Amino acid sequence: MSEVKPKGISASLVVIAVIIALIIGVVAGYFVKPVELIKETVTVPGIEKTVTTTIEKTVAGTIEKTVTLTPTAIAIPFTPPPKPEKIVVQANEWNQMWMKYLAESFEKEYGIKVEFWSYVHVEDLHTKTLAAYAAKSSEFDVIGMDEQWRGEYFKLGVLEPLNKYFEMEGIDPYKVYEPFLVDASTYKGQQLYVLTRIVLPFLFYNEKMLKEAGYTSPPTTWEELVDMSKVMMNKGICKYGTALPFAKAEGLVCQFTMFLHAFGGRWFNEKGEWAFNDDAGIKALTFMRDMIYTYKIAPTASVELNDRQVFDPLGAGDSAFSVNWNVFSKTATDPTVSKEAENIKVALAPGTKAAGVKSMSVTGFFGWGIYSLSKNKYWAWKFLLHQIMHPEISIKHYDIYGVPDSLKITHTDPFYKDPIEKKYYWAPYAVEQVRYAASRPGTITYYGEWTTMMQEELHKVLLDPTVDIKSALDRMVELSREMARRAGS
Amino acid sequence: MKLSPFSFFLNKKTEILFSFPALILIFFFIFIPISWGLYISFTDYSLLNPSFHFIGLKNYMEVLTSYNFLKSILTTFEFMVISMLIEFPIGLGIALLLNEEFKGKKITVALSLIPWSIPMVVNSLLWLWIYDPQYGLLNGILYWLGIKEYNKLWLGNPQIAMFALIIADSWQVIPFHVLFFLAGLQSIPKTYYEASAIDGANSLKRFFYITLPLLKRVFLILLLIRTVHCIKVFDMIYLMTNGGPGDRTTTMAFLAYLETFDHLKMSIGNTEAIIMSFILIILGTIYIMTLY
C-alpha cells in the first residue's frame, strides 16, 4: 500500500500566488489611491482660512500633499460650473466706484468680464431690483443693497443666502469681516450679503474753537455738547454749536435712530412690537427739538438741511460741531472745500449722561449679495470672495470714500493699518464707532412705507415746538403697528 | 352723404395708411400701458407681494377715503389755483407791454424767454440755492437790506413752502404765458381797435371788450396746458421739498410716486394715477364747455 501523502500547497503554487498577488497589488495600487481627509489651518494672503487638505498615500509609501482653496476636497466632490463670459453687477453709480477696482482684478484673474448696470439714486436700485425679480428676470448676478431692505429681500427671496458658500470655502465670516458687519448683514441666521465698508456718523469738531473756549477735549455726551456750544456761542466763537440734518429725508430717520438709542431706547419691545414711544423715545425726540428751540444751539434752518448741508457751517467756521457721516471726512479736511480744514478733527459720536450711554451712532451700511435668480451664482460668489482674497483692493475704500473697508485684517495687520492711519488719521475712529452704533429697523418688510410716514411725522414735531411729543410718538407707533398688521408681521 | 366704414376707408386709405405707423406706436406705448395700469388698479398687485388678485373697486374705495390722498388733492388744487392766479395776469401784462412798439423789442422778447428755456431740474436746483436758509441769495439780500429776521426758512416753513414753490414755478412758466398771449394779441386785427377808438372807446373798454374776448381761445389752451402741468407737478417737489415740510407739499402726483416706487404698492399708485387722470378729464371738459 502506497503511502498517501497529505495534500499540501506546493512551493510552486505559493510562488505563483505571490506573483499574482504582487501583480494585482501593483495594478490596484496604480489605479486606486486610498484618500484620507484631514483638516488643517493654512494662512492665505494674511487671512486665517480653514481649508481641507488631501493627503494621498501611494502604495510605494510616499505621501503627496495638495492644498486647495476650492471646495473640491469636501466629502461631496464639487466641480465648478463653466466660466460665463460675464457677470452683471447692478448698483447705483456712487456705490460702484470701488467695485470697479475689484472688477478689474477679477477680470484679470478669472478672465470673466464684469458688467455694471448703473442707476443714479440708490432708491432706483431698490425699485429696479424688485421689478426685475417680480418679472423673474435673471439678467444680473450681483446686486447692491442697502441694509434697510434686508427684511423685504429676505421675505421675497431676492438674495441667495451666503452661508453655504462660506462653508464651502471653509471661511468663518466672523474671522474675516468685522463681526458687527456680519451681524448687520444676517437675518434669521442667513447671511444675505457682504458689507464692504464701514459707513456711520461720528463727531467732527473744530479743535481751534474748542481751544479758544478753553476746552482740551471734545464732548463725550450730548449734554456736554450743548453746554460747550452755549459757552462758545456766548463768547462769540461760533454762530451756533451745530447744524442738524433734520430735513424731511431718510437722514431724519437715521438721526432719530441715533438719539433714540443714545437715550437708552429701542425700536421694539421684547415681544417684537413697536415700542419707541416709551420714556426714552420721548426724551430723545424732546432733546432733538430742544437743541433748536430751547437750547438754541442749532439754527432753525436745521429742519431744512440735509446731511451734506450741515457741513457747510462747519467748513465755513460758523459752527463748532457736526455729528455726521464719515464719508464726509475727506471733504471736511480738504482745504479747497473747507475753510477750517486744518482745525477739523474727529472723535466718537457723543453718548448721553441721562442714559449712561458712552457713545452712539447709526449704521448706513451698503452691501453686495448674489441675486437669487442669477444663472452664475458660483462666479458671482467668487466675485464677492475676491475682496477677501485681496485686501490691497479692499483698502481703496479709504481713497475713494474716505471710509474704512470691512476686512478685519486691514484694521489689525500693521502692514495695512499703519500706512492708512498715517494718511487718514480719522480711520480708527470709524472702526471703533462700529461698537457703538444702532441700526434702523431694516428687518421689517414694509420699510418704504414706514420710513415715509416716520419722516413726515418726525418732521412735523421738529417744525413746531408746540406739538405734544408723547401724542406724536404714540401716533407713530400706532401707525407702525397698523402697517405691521397689514404686512402680516 | 354719410359714408359706410368701408367706403370711408377706401376714400381715406392714403391718409389711414400714412397714419398707421404712428397708430401702432400709440397702441403699444400709450394704449397698452394705460390699459395695463387700469387693470392693475383693480388688483392687489405689489412688488412686495407679486401676485395678482382681482379685487374690484377696493383700491378706489381705499384711496378715495384716505386722508393722505384727499389732502394731496387739496394741495394740488392749491398749487394749481395760486399758480394760475399769479401767472395769467403777469403773463398777460408783460405780453401787452411787449405788444407795443419800442426800441429793442425783439431782444426784450428773446431775453424774456430765457427762464422758460431752462430745464425744470436746473430751475429747481437754482431756486434751492436762492431759498437756502444758511447761504441763500434771498436771505442774503434781506440781510443786506438790514431786515432783522433775515434767517428765514423758505422751504422748511409750512406756511411759506407752498408759496415758495409756486414762485419758483411761476418764474419759469410766465414766459410761456407771455409767448402765447403775445401771439394771440398779434392775431387781433388792428382795425378793431381803430374802429373802437373812432367810436370813443377808451383803452380800458378796448381791453375788456376787444382784447379779452378775442384772447378767449388762448386762455382756453393755456388753462388746459397749465392744468395738466400743475396736476402732474412732481419734479420740482421731488427736488425741492420731498413733499415736506411734513406733508405740506405732497401733491397727487408725488403721492402716487411714493406709493408706487417707495412703498412698492403698484395697485394703489396706479389707482391714484387713474383718479388723477379722471380729474383732468373732468376739468378739461368743464373748460371746453365754458370757454370754447
Side-chain angles (χ1 to χ4, degrees), chain A residues 295-436:
Chain A
Y295 310 137
K296 295 184 192 306
I297 61 150
T300 46
S302 293
V303 293
E304 233 185 87
L305 304 179
N306 60 33
D307 299 317
R308 192 209 56 77
Q309 285 173 305
V310 295
F311 239 103
D312 295 338
L314 188 78
D318 287 340
S319 68
F321 305 109
S322 179
V323 176
N324 214 326
W325 298 96
N326 57 339
V327 289
F328 292 115
S329 306
K330 280 182 89 176
T331 318
T333 52
D334 178 358
T336 60
V337 283
S338 171
K339 211 174 83 181
E340 298 290 321
E342 62 183 40
N343 301 320
I344 292 174
K345 300 284 178 258
V346 301
L348 287 185
T352 60
K353 211 158 115 188
V357 172
K358 187 188 168 190
S359 169
M360 188 50 68
S361 184
V362 56
T363 59
F365 297 148
F366 188 88
W368 304 90
I370 301 174
Y371 181 53
S372 64
L373 301 179
S374 160
K375 287 175 185 161
N376 306 307
K377 285 178 195 162
Y378 177 76
W379 295 104
W381 158 251
K382 281 287 177 194
F383 181 58
L384 297 181
L385 183 68
H386 206 64
Q387 183 201 11
I388 299 174
M389 307 307 294
H390 294 275
E392 78 285 358
I393 299 173
S394 192
I395 56 169
K396 283 188 186 292
H397 275 105
Y398 289 97
D399 296 326
I400 299 167
Y401 306 109
V403 304
D405 65 311
S406 55
L407 298 184
K408 223 179 194 177
I409 189 170
T410 64
H411 310 150
T412 50
D413 188 335
F415 177 78
Y416 300 107
K417 196 181 155 206
D418 293 350
I420 289 167
E421 287 183 7
K422 207 172 166 190
K423 199 171 172 190
Y424 306 110
Y425 75 88
W426 61 78
Y429 290 95
V431 180
E432 197 187 343
Q433 188 69 68
V434 165
R435 290 161 56 203
Y436 310 101

Side-chain angles (χ1 to χ4, degrees), chain A residues 15-70:
Chain A
V15 170
I16 290 166
V18 168
I19 291 168
I20 290 169
L22 275 172
I23 292 167
I24 291 169
V26 169
V27 171
Y30 185 78
F31 288 106
V32 184
K33 289 181 178 179
V35 174
E36 187 185 334
L37 299 176
I38 62 156
K39 286 202 168 189
E40 69 172 39
T41 301
V42 179
T43 302
V44 179
I47 303 160
E48 193 183 61
K49 279 188 63 170
T50 306
V51 297
T52 309
T53 59
T54 310
I55 297 180
E56 298 170 347
K57 290 178 183 171
T58 67
V59 277
T62 54
I63 294 173
E64 288 172 0
K65 186 177 170 186
T66 315
V67 178
T68 172
L69 295 176
T70 57

Side-chain angles (χ1 to χ4, degrees), chain B residues 60-121:
Chain B
Y60 287 87
M61 297 300 288
E62 189 182 324
V63 167
L64 289 170
T65 52
S66 136
Y67 168 80
N68 286 346
F69 186 71
L70 296 177
K71 190 165 184 290
S72 77
I73 294 181
L74 284 179
T75 307
T76 310
F77 273 83
E78 184 187 358
F79 181 87
M80 185 174 78
V81 172
I82 300 177
S83 293
M84 288 185 186
L85 285 175
I86 291 172
E87 290 157 12
F88 276 77
I90 296 178
L92 181 59
I94 296 172
L96 285 168
L97 283 174
L98 293 177
N99 197 35
E100 298 300 318
E101 288 305 321
F102 60 90
K103 207 177 169 186
K105 179 183 166 178
K106 282 181 184 166
I107 190 84
T108 314
V109 173
L111 286 174
S112 70
L113 290 175
I114 288 175
W116 186 50
S117 63
I118 295 173
M120 179 57 94
V121 173

Side-chain angles (χ1 to χ4, degrees), chain A residues 174-200:
Chain A
Y174 283 97
K175 286 185 177 171
V176 176
Y177 296 105
E178 287 293 344
F180 189 93
L181 302 180
V182 181
D183 291 339
S185 52
T186 303
Y187 184 53
K188 293 193 177 173
Q190 302 278 346
Q191 187 167 356
L192 297 174
Y193 52 100
V194 291
L195 292 164
T196 54
R197 62 173 177 266
I198 298 173
V199 176
L200 74 185

